[in-house]
Amino acid sequence: MKVTFAKTLSANDVGATGSHQAGILVPKADKELMTFFPVLNPGILNPDAWITCIDEFGDEWKFRYVYYNNRLHVEHGTRNEYRLTYLTKFFRRTGAIAGDSLLFSTTDEAGRYRISLKRKESPSNGSPGGVIVLQGWRRVH
């Protein structure tokens, strides 16, 4: 069964704020999302896995899925978060902006995903109340 998750991109995610964050946050509280990506060993410092994503044009992208966990391993460590990094080139190539959704779908091969960018929807003239924009990660059904 194909599973898809979408992340509504923030200005910070796409680099529009000038911040120097490392990739997009993957919330560890979402157990289903945590099983969607490769399992990382919390017993080692900053475990990671490279995932391969194929876009709609057949281009292959390599992204790093990492658990920054120095809080668990280093005195005075502060980080305890999962992130996807090495997305900048993909964002630039696709022209991703805040409000767009980044979609990841499983394939038949472990560690390989389909990736696509869905442009944010803008309200059409005369539509009552505009468009509701979901924030963060969500399962696509």
Side-chain angles (χ1 to χ4, degrees):
M1 178 171 97
K2 182 175 102 170
V3 176
T4 300
F5 276 93
K7 164 66 166 94
T8 302
L9 299 171
S10 69
N12 215 27
D13 292 334
V14 297
T17 63
S19 74
H20 298 287
Q21 78 172 16
I24 58 176
L25 182 71
V26 179
K28 61 183 175 220
D30 186 333
K31 300 303 180 200
E32 189 178 19
L33 181 59
M34 294 305 300
T35 62
F36 179 78
F37 290 113
V39 175
L40 301 177
N41 181 357
I44 61 173
L45 179 65
N46 299 335
D48 67 352
W50 287 91
I51 62 171
T52 301
C53 296
I54 310 299
D55 68 19
E56 59 249 79
F57 304 106
D59 292 330
E60 188 173 284
W61 300 86
K62 300 268 189 196
F63 302 130
R64 183 177 180 229
Y65 177 55
V66 59
Y67 178 27
Y68 291 113
N69 63 1
N70 70 2
R71 182 181 216 166
L72 307 176
H73 297 277
V74 177
E75 187 176 353
H76 306 295
T78 59
R79 296 187 76 186
N80 187 19
E81 61 196 25
Y82 290 83
R83 291 204 173 255
L84 282 166
T85 63
Y86 287 82
L87 292 156
T88 303
K89 286 182 184 177
F90 178 81
F91 288 157
R92 285 186 183 143
R93 168 103 48 95
T94 59
I97 60 171
D100 289 347
S101 292
L102 183 61
L103 284 85
F104 289 89
S105 299
T106 55
T107 65
D108 292 335
E109 197 175 334
R112 276 179 90 81
Y113 301 84
R114 287 250 173 235
I115 189 171
S116 61
L117 188 71
K118 182 178 179 205
R119 299 291 173 193
K120 70 178 175 179
E121 296 179 17
S122 57
S124 60
N125 290 339
S127 68
V131 173
I132 296 171
V133 177
L134 299 174
Q135 297 297 313
W137 287 90
R138 66 192 180 283
R139 170 91 185 263
V140 177
H141 296 279

